[in-house]
Amino acid sequence: MWILKSFALALLGLPVKALGLVLVPLGLLFRREYPETRKPFTQFPGEWMLVRLPSWLLPWDNLYDGFRGDKRGWWDNNQGGKSASFKSMFLWGAIRNPANYWSRHITGLDISKCVVTKVAGNCDLPDEEPGSKQWVWLVATRADGKTFNRFYMSWALPWDDTHGIMIDIGWKFKLAHNGMSHDAPDKDKIRGSVFTLSPYKALT
């Protein structure tokens, strides 16, 4: 059953993520910065720049967002404009997005080889907006017949619409990924595995 497979992948990833609590701060001491990637955040004031771990810590690295947060600037804003601080980079790379390379490239899925269909649900594009009460069950079928599932629910709490019950199990794909080109960048077509059960997830 696909839920058990997702759970097994999550269990396999637990020691990897736990090691990241030690290896990420160690790696940040030897981090690689790419000043040529500097650009303004797309939604918030400030500037993004790619920062990565040394190559010998690849499973804990983040090839696309790096360690200064998302390109929108949401994380930088959340951190009071201090996404370049050691503490912020640790929280992003070891707590919020632990072992990003592992979950995306080692246990992930190439969605360009699949057709995505919706089995059930009241939404097509999962989001985490305040007050959202959404759920969807998607199936990605590969050309060889193998299937991959995703069950996603973001259900705002009746007494606090800025937080909700979050369930996200399977692989991080959505209907909009149908027709993804085989030549698309890996950051777009390789979808990571996920197993999230949160009774009080911030909806942003």
Side-chain angles (χ1 to χ4, degrees), residues 66-141:
F67 283 77
R68 287 191 50 179
D70 60 291
K71 297 179 181 67
R72 295 176 302 152
W74 173 85
W75 178 255
D76 182 77
N77 183 69
N78 177 273
Q79 297 296 302
K82 298 180 180 180
S83 61
S85 70
F86 191 93
K87 176 184 176 182
S88 174
M89 289 191 287
F90 166 75
L91 290 174
W92 176 262
I95 305 298
R96 184 171 177 83
N97 293 284
N100 183 271
Y101 185 92
W102 169 273
S103 63
R104 184 186 285 255
H105 289 274
I106 298 178
T107 64
L109 165 69
D110 186 346
I111 202 65
S112 72
K113 299 178 179 179
C114 302
V115 174
V116 182
T117 56
K118 181 167 76 171
V119 177
N122 65 2
C123 69
D124 292 339
L125 301 175
D127 65 49
E128 299 177 20
E129 295 295 325
S132 67
K133 292 186 176 181
Q134 298 189 334
W135 70 280
V136 67
W137 177 12
L138 302 172
V139 176
T141 304

